[in-house]
Coordinates of all heavy atoms in Angstrom, one line a residue:
M249 N 16.0 -31.5 47.3 CA 15.1 -32.1 46.5 C 15.7 -33.3 45.8 O 16.8 -33.3 45.2 CB 14.6 -31.1 45.4 CG 13.6 -31.7 44.4 SD 12.8 -30.6 43.3 CE 11.7 -29.8 44.6
N250 N 15.2 -34.5 46.0 CA 15.6 -35.7 45.4 C 15.3 -35.8 43.9 O 14.3 -35.3 43.5 CB 15.1 -36.9 46.2 CG 15.6 -37.0 47.6 OD1 16.8 -36.5 47.9 ND2 15.0 -37.7 48.4
I251 N 16.2 -36.7 43.2 CA 15.7 -36.9 41.7 C 15.5 -38.4 41.7 O 16.1 -39.2 42.4 CB 16.9 -36.5 40.9 CG1 18.2 -37.1 41.2 CG2 17.0 -34.9 40.9 CD1 19.3 -36.7 40.1
E252 N 14.6 -38.8 40.8 CA 14.4 -40.2 40.5 C 15.2 -40.7 39.4 O 15.3 -40.1 38.3 CB 12.9 -40.3 40.2 CG 12.4 -41.8 39.9 CD 11.0 -41.9 39.5 OE1 10.2 -41.4 40.3 OE2 10.7 -42.4 38.4
L253 N 15.8 -41.8 39.6 CA 16.7 -42.4 38.6 C 16.3 -43.9 38.6 O 15.7 -44.5 39.5 CB 18.3 -42.2 38.9 CG 18.7 -40.9 39.0 CD1 20.1 -40.8 39.5 CD2 18.6 -40.2 37.6
V254 N 16.8 -44.7 37.6 CA 16.7 -46.0 37.5 C 18.0 -46.8 37.6 O 18.9 -46.5 36.9 CB 16.0 -46.5 36.1 CG1 15.9 -48.1 36.1 CG2 14.7 -45.9 35.9
E255 N 18.0 -47.5 38.7 CA 19.3 -48.2 39.1 C 19.3 -49.6 38.5 O 18.3 -50.3 38.4 CB 19.4 -48.4 40.7 CG 20.7 -49.2 41.0 CD 20.6 -49.4 42.6 OE1 19.7 -49.4 43.2 OE2 21.8 -49.7 43.0
V256 N 20.5 -50.0 38.1 CA 20.7 -51.4 37.5 C 21.5 -52.1 38.7 O 22.6 -51.6 39.1 CB 21.7 -51.5 36.2 CG1 21.9 -52.9 35.9 CG2 21.0 -50.6 35.2
Y257 N 20.9 -53.2 39.3 CA 21.5 -53.8 40.4 C 21.5 -55.3 40.2 O 20.7 -55.9 39.5 CB 20.8 -53.5 41.7 CG 19.5 -54.0 41.8 CD1 19.2 -55.1 42.6 CD2 18.3 -53.4 41.2 CE1 18.0 -55.7 42.7 CE2 17.0 -54.0 41.3 CZ 16.9 -55.1 42.1 OH 15.7 -55.6 42.3
R258 N 22.5 -55.9 40.9 CA 22.5 -57.4 40.8 C 21.6 -58.1 41.8 O 21.5 -57.7 42.9 CB 24.0 -57.9 41.1 CG 24.3 -59.4 40.9 CD 25.6 -59.8 41.2 NE 26.7 -59.0 40.5 CZ 27.1 -59.5 39.3 NH1 26.8 -60.6 38.8 NH2 28.1 -58.9 38.7
D259 N 20.8 -59.1 41.3 CA 19.9 -59.8 42.2 C 20.7 -60.6 43.2 O 21.4 -61.5 42.7 CB 18.9 -60.6 41.3 CG 17.8 -61.3 42.0 OD1 18.0 -61.6 43.2 OD2 16.7 -61.5 41.4
R260 N 20.4 -60.5 44.4 CA 21.2 -61.2 45.4 C 20.8 -62.7 45.4 O 21.7 -63.6 45.7 CB 21.0 -60.7 46.8 CG 21.7 -59.3 46.9 CD 21.5 -58.7 48.3 NE 21.7 -57.3 48.3 CZ 22.7 -56.8 49.0 NH1 23.4 -57.6 50.0 NH2 23.0 -55.5 49.0
A261 N 19.6 -63.0 45.1 CA 19.1 -64.4 45.1 C 19.8 -65.1 43.8 O 20.0 -66.3 43.9 CB 17.6 -64.5 45.0
I262 N 19.9 -64.5 42.7 CA 20.5 -65.0 41.5 C 21.6 -64.1 41.0 O 21.4 -63.1 40.3 CB 19.4 -65.2 40.3 CG1 18.2 -65.9 40.9 CG2 20.0 -65.9 39.2 CD1 17.0 -65.8 40.0
S263 N 22.8 -64.4 41.6 CA 23.9 -63.4 41.3 C 24.2 -63.1 39.9 O 24.9 -62.1 39.6 CB 25.1 -63.9 42.1 OG 25.6 -65.3 41.5
S264 N 23.9 -64.0 39.0 CA 24.2 -63.7 37.6 C 23.1 -62.9 36.9 O 23.2 -62.5 35.8 CB 24.3 -65.0 36.8 OG 23.1 -65.7 36.8
K265 N 22.0 -62.5 37.6 CA 20.9 -61.8 37.0 C 20.9 -60.4 37.5 O 21.1 -60.1 38.7 CB 19.6 -62.5 37.4 CG 18.4 -61.9 36.8 CD 17.3 -62.9 36.9 CE 16.0 -62.4 36.1 NZ 15.7 -63.0 35.0
F266 N 20.6 -59.4 36.6 CA 20.5 -58.0 36.9 C 19.1 -57.6 36.8 O 18.2 -58.1 36.0 CB 21.4 -57.2 36.0 CG 22.8 -57.4 36.3 CD1 23.6 -58.3 35.7 CD2 23.5 -56.5 37.1 CE1 24.9 -58.5 35.9 CE2 24.9 -56.6 37.4 CZ 25.6 -57.6 36.9
R267 N 18.7 -56.6 37.6 CA 17.3 -56.1 37.7 C 17.4 -54.6 37.6 O 18.5 -54.0 37.8 CB 16.6 -56.5 38.8 CG 16.3 -58.1 38.9 CD 15.4 -58.4 40.1 NE 15.3 -60.0 40.1 CZ 14.5 -60.6 39.4 NH1 13.8 -60.0 38.5 NH2 14.4 -62.0 39.6
L268 N 16.3 -54.0 37.5 CA 16.1 -52.5 37.4 C 15.1 -52.2 38.5 O 14.2 -52.9 38.8 CB 15.3 -52.0 36.1 CG 16.2 -52.3 34.8 CD1 15.3 -51.8 33.6 CD2 17.6 -51.7 34.9
R269 N 15.4 -50.9 39.3 CA 14.5 -50.4 40.2 C 14.7 -48.9 40.3 O 15.7 -48.4 40.0 CB 14.7 -51.0 41.6 CG 16.1 -50.7 42.2 CD 16.2 -51.3 43.5 NE 17.7 -51.3 43.9 CZ 18.2 -52.2 44.7 NH1 17.5 -53.1 45.3 NH2 19.6 -52.1 45.1
K270 N 13.6 -48.3 40.7 CA 13.7 -46.8 40.9 C 14.4 -46.6 42.2 O 14.2 -47.2 43.2 CB 12.3 -46.2 41.0 CG 11.5 -46.2 39.7 CD 10.2 -45.5 39.9 CE 9.3 -45.6 38.6 NZ 7.9 -45.0 38.8
I271 N 15.3 -45.5 42.1 CA 15.9 -44.9 43.3 C 15.7 -43.4 43.3 O 15.6 -42.8 42.2 CB 17.3 -45.4 43.4 CG1 18.2 -44.9 42.2 CG2 17.5 -46.9 43.6 CD1 19.7 -45.1 42.5
Y272 N 15.8 -42.8 44.5 CA 15.8 -41.4 44.7 C 17.1 -41.0 45.3 O 17.6 -41.4 46.3 CB 14.7 -41.0 45.6 CG 13.4 -41.5 44.9 CD1 12.8 -42.7 45.1 CD2 12.6 -40.7 43.9 CE1 11.7 -43.2 44.5 CE2 11.5 -41.1 43.4 CZ 11.0 -42.4 43.6 OH 9.9 -42.8 42.9
I273 N 17.8 -40.0 44.6 CA 19.1 -39.5 45.0 C 19.1 -38.1 45.5 O 18.4 -37.3 44.7 CB 20.1 -39.7 43.8 CG1 20.2 -41.2 43.4 CG2 21.5 -39.1 44.2 CD1 21.0 -42.1 44.2
N274 N 19.6 -37.7 46.5 CA 19.8 -36.4 46.9 C 21.1 -35.9 46.0 O 22.2 -36.3 46.3 CB 20.1 -36.3 48.3 CG 20.3 -34.8 48.7 OD1 20.6 -33.9 48.0 ND2 20.1 -34.5 50.0
P275 N 20.9 -34.9 45.0 CA 21.9 -34.5 44.2 C 23.1 -33.8 44.9 O 24.2 -33.8 44.4 CB 21.3 -33.6 43.2 CG 19.9 -33.3 43.6 CD 19.6 -34.4 44.8
E276 N 22.8 -33.2 46.2 CA 23.8 -32.7 46.8 C 24.9 -33.6 47.3 O 26.1 -33.2 47.7 CB 23.3 -31.9 48.0 CG 22.4 -30.7 47.5 CD 21.8 -30.0 48.7 OE1 22.2 -30.2 49.9 OE2 20.9 -29.2 48.5
H277 N 24.7 -34.9 47.4 CA 25.5 -36.0 47.9 C 26.3 -36.6 46.7 O 27.2 -37.5 47.0 CB 24.8 -37.0 48.7 CG 24.3 -36.3 50.0 ND1 25.0 -36.2 51.1 CD2 23.1 -35.7 50.2 CE1 24.2 -35.7 52.1 NE2 23.0 -35.3 51.5
V278 N 25.9 -36.3 45.4 CA 26.8 -36.9 44.4 C 28.1 -36.3 44.2 O 28.3 -35.1 44.1 CB 26.0 -36.7 43.0 CG1 26.9 -37.3 41.8 CG2 24.7 -37.4 43.1
V279 N 29.2 -37.1 44.4 CA 30.6 -36.6 44.4 C 31.1 -36.6 43.0 O 31.9 -35.8 42.6 CB 31.4 -37.4 45.4 CG1 32.8 -37.1 45.4 CG2 30.8 -37.4 46.9
C280 N 30.8 -37.7 42.3 CA 31.4 -37.9 41.0 C 30.6 -38.8 40.2 O 29.8 -39.6 40.7 CB 32.8 -38.7 41.3 SG 33.7 -39.1 39.8
M281 N 30.7 -38.7 39.0 CA 29.9 -39.5 38.0 C 30.7 -39.8 36.7 O 31.6 -39.0 36.4 CB 28.5 -39.0 37.6 CG 28.6 -37.8 36.7 SD 26.8 -37.3 36.2 CE 26.4 -36.3 37.7
R282 N 30.5 -41.1 36.2 CA 31.3 -41.4 35.0 C 30.6 -42.4 34.3 O 29.7 -43.1 34.8 CB 32.7 -41.9 35.4 CG 32.8 -43.1 36.1 CD 34.2 -43.6 36.3 NE 34.0 -45.0 37.1 CZ 35.0 -45.8 37.2 NH1 36.1 -45.4 36.9 NH2 34.8 -47.0 37.9
Y283 N 31.0 -42.7 32.9 CA 30.3 -43.7 32.2 C 30.6 -45.0 32.9 O 31.8 -45.2 33.3 CB 30.9 -43.7 30.7 CG 30.2 -42.6 29.8 CD1 30.9 -41.3 29.6 CD2 29.0 -42.9 29.2 CE1 30.4 -40.5 28.9 CE2 28.5 -41.9 28.3 CZ 29.1 -40.7 28.2 OH 28.6 -39.7 27.4
D284 N 29.8 -46.0 32.8 CA 29.9 -47.3 33.3 C 30.1 -48.2 32.1 O 29.1 -48.8 31.6 CB 28.9 -47.7 34.2 CG 29.2 -49.0 35.0 OD1 30.0 -49.7 34.5 OD2 28.6 -49.2 36.0
E285 N 31.3 -48.4 31.6 CA 31.5 -49.2 30.4 C 31.3 -50.7 30.8 O 30.9 -51.4 29.8 CB 33.0 -49.0 29.9 CG 33.2 -47.6 29.4 CD 32.4 -47.2 28.2 OE1 32.1 -48.1 27.4 OE2 32.1 -46.1 28.1
T286 N 31.5 -51.1 31.9 CA 31.3 -52.5 32.3 C 29.9 -52.9 32.1 O 29.5 -53.9 31.6 CB 31.7 -52.7 33.8 OG1 33.1 -52.5 33.9 CG2 31.5 -54.2 34.2
M287 N 28.9 -51.9 32.6 CA 27.4 -52.3 32.4 C 27.1 -52.2 30.9 O 26.2 -53.1 30.5 CB 26.7 -51.3 33.2 CG 25.3 -51.7 33.6 SD 25.3 -53.2 34.6 CE 25.9 -52.8 36.2
K288 N 27.7 -51.3 30.2 CA 27.5 -51.3 28.8 C 27.9 -52.6 28.1 O 27.1 -53.1 27.3 CB 28.1 -50.1 28.1 CG 28.0 -50.0 26.6 CD 26.6 -49.6 26.3 CE 26.6 -49.4 24.8 NZ 25.2 -49.3 24.3
N289 N 29.0 -53.2 28.5 CA 29.4 -54.4 27.9 C 28.4 -55.6 28.4 O 28.2 -56.4 27.5 CB 30.8 -54.8 28.5 CG 31.9 -53.8 27.9 OD1 31.7 -53.3 26.9 ND2 33.0 -53.7 28.5
R290 N 28.0 -55.6 29.6 CA 27.0 -56.5 30.0 C 25.7 -56.4 29.3 O 25.1 -57.5 28.8 CB 26.7 -56.4 31.4 CG 27.8 -56.8 32.3 CD 27.4 -56.8 33.8 NE 28.5 -57.3 34.6 CZ 28.9 -56.8 35.7 NH1 28.4 -55.7 36.1 NH2 30.0 -57.4 36.4
L291 N 25.3 -55.2 28.8 CA 24.1 -55.0 28.0 C 24.3 -55.7 26.5 O 23.6 -56.4 26.0 CB 23.8 -53.6 27.8 CG 22.6 -53.2 27.0 CD1 21.3 -53.8 27.4 CD2 22.5 -51.8 26.8
D292 N 25.6 -55.4 26.0 CA 25.9 -55.8 24.7 C 26.1 -57.4 24.7 O 25.7 -58.0 23.6 CB 27.4 -55.3 24.3 CG 27.3 -53.8 24.0 OD1 26.1 -53.2 23.8 OD2 28.3 -53.1 23.9
E293 N 26.3 -58.0 25.8 CA 26.5 -59.4 25.8 C 25.1 -60.1 26.2 O 25.0 -61.3 26.2 CB 27.4 -59.8 27.0 CG 28.9 -59.4 26.7 CD 29.8 -59.4 27.9 OE1 29.3 -59.7 29.0 OE2 31.0 -59.1 27.6
G294 N 24.1 -59.3 26.5 CA 22.7 -59.8 26.7 C 22.5 -60.2 28.2 O 21.7 -61.0 28.4
N295 N 23.3 -59.6 29.0 CA 23.2 -60.0 30.4 C 22.3 -59.1 31.3 O 22.2 -59.2 32.5 CB 24.7 -60.1 31.1 CG 25.5 -61.1 30.5 OD1 24.9 -62.2 30.1 ND2 26.7 -60.9 30.3
L296 N 21.7 -58.1 30.7 CA 20.9 -57.2 31.5 C 19.5 -57.4 31.0 O 19.2 -58.1 30.0 CB 21.3 -55.8 31.1 CG 22.7 -55.3 31.7 CD1 22.9 -53.9 31.4 CD2 22.9 -55.7 33.1
P297 N 18.5 -56.9 31.8 CA 17.0 -57.0 31.4 C 16.8 -56.7 30.0 O 17.4 -55.7 29.4 CB 16.3 -56.1 32.4 CG 17.3 -55.9 33.6 CD 18.6 -55.9 33.0
K298 N 15.9 -57.5 29.3 CA 15.6 -57.5 27.9 C 14.9 -56.2 27.6 O 14.9 -55.8 26.4 CB 14.8 -58.7 27.6 CG 15.4 -60.0 27.8 CD 16.6 -60.2 27.0 CE 17.3 -61.6 27.3 NZ 18.7 -61.6 27.0
D299 N 14.3 -55.5 28.5 CA 13.5 -54.2 28.1 C 14.4 -53.1 27.9 O 14.0 -51.9 27.6 CB 12.3 -54.0 29.1 CG 12.8 -54.0 30.5 OD1 14.0 -54.5 30.9 OD2 12.1 -53.6 31.4
L300 N 15.7 -53.2 28.1 CA 16.6 -52.0 27.9 C 17.0 -52.0 26.4 O 17.3 -53.0 25.8 CB 17.9 -52.3 28.7 CG 17.8 -51.9 30.2 CD1 19.1 -52.4 30.9 CD2 17.6 -50.5 30.5
D301 N 17.0 -50.8 25.9 CA 17.4 -50.5 24.5 C 18.9 -50.8 24.3 O 19.7 -50.4 25.2 CB 17.2 -49.1 24.2 CG 17.3 -48.8 22.7 OD1 18.4 -49.0 22.1 OD2 16.3 -48.4 22.0
E302 N 19.2 -51.5 23.4 CA 20.7 -51.8 23.1 C 21.6 -50.6 22.9 O 22.8 -50.8 23.0 CB 20.9 -52.8 21.9 CG 20.4 -52.1 20.6 CD 20.4 -53.0 19.4 OE1 20.2 -54.3 19.6 OE2 20.6 -52.6 18.3
R303 N 21.1 -49.4 22.7 CA 21.8 -48.2 22.6 C 22.0 -47.5 23.9 O 22.7 -46.4 23.9 CB 21.2 -47.2 21.6 CG 21.0 -47.9 20.1 CD 20.0 -47.0 19.3 NE 18.7 -47.1 19.8 CZ 17.7 -46.5 19.4 NH1 17.8 -45.7 18.3 NH2 16.5 -46.7 19.9
Q304 N 21.4 -48.1 24.9 CA 21.4 -47.4 26.2 C 22.9 -47.3 26.9 O 23.8 -48.2 26.6 CB 20.5 -48.2 27.2 CG 20.4 -47.6 28.5 CD 19.6 -46.3 28.4 OE1 18.4 -46.3 28.0 NE2 20.1 -45.2 28.7
N305 N 23.1 -46.2 27.6 CA 24.4 -46.1 28.3 C 24.1 -46.0 29.7 O 23.0 -45.9 30.1 CB 25.1 -44.8 27.8 CG 25.7 -44.9 26.5 OD1 26.6 -45.7 26.2 ND2 25.4 -44.0 25.6
F306 N 25.2 -46.1 30.5 CA 25.0 -46.2 32.0 C 26.0 -45.2 32.7 O 27.1 -45.0 32.2 CB 25.2 -47.6 32.5 CG 24.3 -48.6 31.8 CD1 24.6 -49.2 30.6 CD2 23.1 -48.8 32.4 CE1 23.9 -50.1 30.0 CE2 22.2 -49.7 31.8 CZ 22.6 -50.3 30.6
T307 N 25.6 -44.7 33.9 CA 26.5 -43.9 34.6 C 26.7 -44.5 36.1 O 25.7 -45.0 36.6 CB 25.8 -42.4 34.8 OG1 25.5 -42.0 33.5 CG2 26.6 -41.6 35.7
K308 N 27.9 -44.5 36.4 CA 28.1 -44.9 37.8 C 28.2 -43.5 38.6 O 29.0 -42.6 38.3 CB 29.5 -45.6 37.9 CG 29.7 -46.1 39.3 CD 30.9 -47.0 39.4 CE 30.7 -48.4 38.7 NZ 30.1 -49.4 39.7
L309 N 27.4 -43.6 39.7 CA 27.4 -42.4 40.6 C 28.1 -42.7 41.9 O 28.0 -43.9 42.4 CB 26.0 -42.0 41.0 CG 25.0 -41.6 39.9 CD1 23.6 -41.3 40.4 CD2 25.6 -40.3 39.2
Y310 N 28.9 -41.9 42.4 CA 29.6 -42.0 43.7 C 29.0 -41.0 44.6 O 28.9 -39.8 44.4 CB 31.1 -41.7 43.5 CG 31.8 -42.6 42.6 CD1 31.9 -42.3 41.2 CD2 32.3 -43.8 43.0 CE1 32.4 -43.2 40.3 CE2 32.9 -44.7 42.0 CZ 33.0 -44.3 40.7 OH 33.4 -45.2 39.8
I311 N 28.3 -41.6 45.7 CA 27.5 -40.8 46.6 C 28.2 -40.8 47.9 O 28.6 -41.8 48.5 CB 26.1 -41.4 46.6 CG1 25.5 -41.5 45.3 CG2 25.3 -40.7 47.7 CD1 24.2 -42.2 45.2
N312 N 28.4 -39.6 48.5 CA 28.9 -39.3 49.8 C 28.0 -39.8 50.9 O 26.9 -39.4 51.0 CB 29.4 -37.9 49.9 CG 30.0 -37.7 51.2 OD1 30.4 -38.5 52.0 ND2 30.3 -36.4 51.5
R313 N 28.5 -40.7 51.7 CA 27.8 -41.1 52.9 C 28.6 -40.9 54.3 O 28.4 -41.7 55.2 CB 27.4 -42.6 53.0 CG 26.3 -42.9 51.8 CD 25.9 -44.3 51.8 NE 26.2 -45.1 53.1 CZ 25.9 -46.4 53.1 NH1 25.5 -47.1 52.1 NH2 26.1 -47.0 54.2
G314 N 29.2 -39.9 54.3 CA 30.0 -39.6 55.5 C 31.3 -40.3 55.5 O 32.1 -40.0 54.6
Q315 N 31.5 -41.2 56.3 CA 32.8 -42.0 56.5 C 33.1 -42.8 55.2 O 34.2 -43.2 54.9 CB 32.9 -42.8 57.7 CG 32.9 -42.1 58.9 CD 34.3 -41.4 59.1 OE1 35.3 -41.8 58.6 NE2 34.3 -40.2 59.9
Q316 N 32.0 -43.4 54.6 CA 32.2 -44.2 53.4 C 31.2 -43.7 52.4 O 30.3 -43.1 52.6 CB 32.0 -45.6 53.8 CG 30.5 -46.1 54.2 CD 30.4 -47.4 54.6 OE1 31.0 -47.8 55.5 NE2 29.7 -48.2 53.8
G317 N 31.6 -44.2 51.1 CA 30.7 -43.8 49.9 C 29.8 -45.0 49.5 O 29.9 -46.1 50.1
L318 N 29.0 -44.6 48.6 CA 28.1 -45.6 48.0 C 28.2 -45.5 46.5 O 28.1 -44.3 46.0 CB 26.7 -45.5 48.5 CG 25.6 -46.2 47.8 CD1 25.6 -47.6 48.0 CD2 24.2 -45.7 48.2
D319 N 28.4 -46.5 45.7 CA 28.5 -46.5 44.3 C 27.2 -47.2 43.7 O 26.8 -48.3 44.1 CB 29.6 -47.3 43.7 CG 31.0 -46.8 44.2 OD1 31.0 -45.7 44.7 OD2 32.0 -47.6 44.1
V320 N 26.5 -46.5 42.8 CA 25.3 -47.1 42.2 C 25.4 -46.8 40.7 O 26.0 -45.9 40.2 CB 24.0 -46.5 42.7 CG1 23.8 -46.9 44.2 CG2 23.9 -45.0 42.5
T321 N 24.9 -47.8 39.9 CA 24.9 -47.6 38.5 C 23.5 -47.3 38.1 O 22.6 -48.0 38.4 CB 25.4 -48.9 37.7 OG1 26.8 -49.1 38.1 CG2 25.3 -48.8 36.3
V322 N 23.3 -46.3 37.3 CA 21.9 -45.9 36.8 C 21.9 -45.8 35.4 O 22.9 -45.8 34.7 CB 21.6 -44.5 37.4 CG1 21.5 -44.5 38.9 CG2 22.5 -43.4 36.9
V323 N 20.6 -45.9 34.7 CA 20.4 -45.9 33.3 C 20.4 -44.5 32.9 O 19.9 -43.6 33.4 CB 19.1 -46.6 33.0 CG1 18.8 -46.4 31.5 CG2 19.0 -48.0 33.5
G324 N 21.3 -44.3 31.9 CA 21.4 -43.0 31.3 C 22.9 -42.6 31.3 O 23.7 -43.0 32.0
E325 N 23.3 -41.7 30.3 CA 24.6 -41.2 30.2 C 24.9 -40.1 31.1 O 24.0 -39.3 31.5 CB 25.1 -41.0 28.7 CG 24.2 -40.0 28.0 CD 24.5 -39.8 26.6 OE1 25.3 -40.6 26.1 OE2 24.1 -39.0 25.9
P326 N 26.1 -39.8 31.5 CA 26.4 -38.7 32.5 C 25.8 -37.4 32.1 O 25.3 -36.7 32.9 CB 28.0 -38.7 32.4 CG 28.4 -40.1 32.2 CD 27.3 -40.6 31.2
P327 N 25.9 -37.0 30.8 CA 25.3 -35.6 30.5 C 23.7 -35.6 30.9 O 23.2 -34.5 31.3 CB 25.4 -35.3 29.0 CG 26.7 -36.2 28.7 CD 26.5 -37.4 29.7
A328 N 23.0 -36.7 30.6 CA 21.6 -36.7 31.0 C 21.4 -36.7 32.4 O 20.5 -36.0 33.0 CB 21.0 -38.0 30.3
I329 N 22.1 -37.3 33.1 CA 22.2 -37.4 34.6 C 22.4 -36.0 35.2 O 21.7 -35.6 36.0 CB 22.9 -38.5 35.2 CG1 22.7 -39.9 34.6 CG2 22.9 -38.5 36.7 CD1 21.3 -40.3 34.8
Q330 N 23.5 -35.4 34.6 CA 23.8 -34.1 35.1 C 22.7 -33.1 34.8 O 22.5 -32.2 35.7 CB 25.1 -33.7 34.3 CG 25.7 -32.2 34.8 CD 26.0 -32.2 36.2 OE1 26.9 -33.1 36.7 NE2 25.6 -31.3 37.1
K331 N 22.0 -33.2 33.6 CA 21.0 -32.3 33.4 C 19.8 -32.5 34.5 O 19.3 -31.4 34.9 CB 20.3 -32.7 32.1 CG 19.3 -31.7 31.6 CD 18.8 -32.0 30.2 CE 17.7 -31.0 29.8 NZ 17.3 -31.3 28.5
K332 N 19.6 -33.7 34.9 CA 18.5 -33.9 35.9 C 19.0 -33.3 37.2 O 18.1 -32.7 38.0 CB 18.3 -35.3 36.1 CG 17.4 -36.0 35.1 CD 17.1 -37.4 35.5 CE 16.1 -38.1 34.5 NZ 15.5 -39.3 35.0
I333 N 20.2 -33.4 37.5 CA 20.8 -32.8 38.8 C 20.6 -31.3 38.8 O 20.3 -30.7 39.7 CB 22.2 -33.3 39.0 CG1 22.2 -34.8 39.4 CG2 22.9 -32.5 40.1 CD1 23.6 -35.4 39.5
D334 N 21.0 -30.7 37.6 CA 21.1 -29.3 37.5 C 19.5 -28.8 37.6 O 19.3 -27.7 38.3 CB 21.5 -28.9 36.1 CG 23.1 -29.1 36.0 OD1 23.7 -29.2 37.1 OD2 23.6 -29.1 34.9
E335 N 18.6 -29.4 37.0 CA 17.2 -29.1 37.1 C 16.6 -29.2 38.5 O 15.9 -28.3 38.9 CB 16.4 -30.0 36.2 CG 16.5 -29.7 34.6 CD 15.9 -30.7 33.7 OE1 15.2 -31.7 34.2 OE2 16.0 -30.5 32.5
A336 N 17.1 -30.2 39.2 CA 16.7 -30.3 40.5 C 17.3 -29.2 41.5 O 16.5 -28.7 42.3 CB 17.0 -31.7 41.1
S337 N 18.4 -28.9 41.1 CA 19.1 -27.8 41.9 C 18.3 -26.4 41.7 O 18.2 -25.6 42.6 CB 20.6 -27.6 41.5 OG 21.3 -28.7 41.9
K338 N 18.1 -26.2 40.4 CA 17.3 -24.9 40.1 C 16.0 -24.8 40.8 O 15.5 -23.8 41.3 CB 17.1 -24.8 38.5 CG 18.4 -24.5 37.8 CD 18.1 -24.4 36.3 CE 19.4 -24.2 35.5 NZ 19.2 -24.3 34.2
K339 N 15.2 -26.0 40.9 CA 14.0 -26.0 41.5 C 14.1 -25.8 43.0 O 13.3 -25.1 43.6 CB 13.2 -27.5 41.2 CG 12.6 -27.5 39.9 CD 12.0 -28.9 39.7 CE 11.5 -29.2 38.3 NZ 10.9 -30.5 38.1
S340 N 15.1 -26.4 43.6 CA 15.3 -26.3 45.0 C 15.6 -24.9 45.3 O 15.1 -24.2 46.4 CB 16.6 -27.2 45.4 OG 16.8 -26.9 46.8
K341 N 16.4 -24.1 44.5 CA 16.7 -22.8 44.8 C 15.5 -21.9 44.6 O 15.3 -20.9 45.5 CB 17.9 -22.3 43.8 CG 19.2 -22.8 44.1 CD 20.3 -22.4 43.0 CE 21.6 -23.1 43.4 NZ 22.5 -22.8 42.3
N342 N 14.6 -22.1 43.8 CA 13.4 -21.4 43.5 C 12.4 -21.6 44.7 O 11.8 -20.6 45.2 CB 12.7 -21.7 42.2 CG 13.4 -21.2 41.0 OD1 14.2 -20.3 41.1 ND2 13.2 -21.9 39.8
L343 N 12.4 -22.8 45.3 CA 11.5 -23.0 46.4 C 12.0 -22.3 47.6 O 11.3 -21.7 48.4 CB 11.6 -24.5 46.8 CG 10.8 -25.4 45.9 CD1 11.0 -26.9 46.3 CD2 9.3 -25.1 45.9
L344 N 13.4 -22.2 47.7 CA 13.9 -21.4 48.9 C 13.7 -19.9 48.8 O 13.6 -19.2 49.9 CB 15.5 -21.6 49.0 CG 15.8 -23.1 49.3 CD1 17.4 -23.2 49.3 CD2 15.4 -23.5 50.7
R345 N 13.7 -19.4 47.7 CA 13.5 -18.0 47.4 C 11.9 -17.6 47.7 O 11.6 -16.4 47.8 CB 13.8 -17.5 46.1 CG 15.4 -17.6 45.9 CD 15.7 -16.9 44.5 NE 17.2 -17.2 44.4 CZ 17.7 -17.4 43.2 NH1 17.1 -17.5 42.1 NH2 19.0 -17.7 43.1
G346 N 11.0 -18.6 47.5 CA 9.5 -18.3 47.8 C 9.0 -18.1 46.5 O 8.0 -17.9 46.0

């Protein structure tokens, strides 16, 4: 079961601009997560979208893609993201049991 998160990504057309978008992650492929201090600094400097709360934190997720990985930064601190992953795992186990 996938979980919905909000990714912060760099606009390829305007490399200095960041945008937000919904993404769906398979929690079974998350290898590691940690606070993304770089993105927090960018928020403090006013370089992220204006609709983000200044108290917001960010998590960098490392996702397994076989031979290579994928790194994404999502809105929310690691404990909150972990909670979403745990809830998705519980739902998935309940579906399998019937």
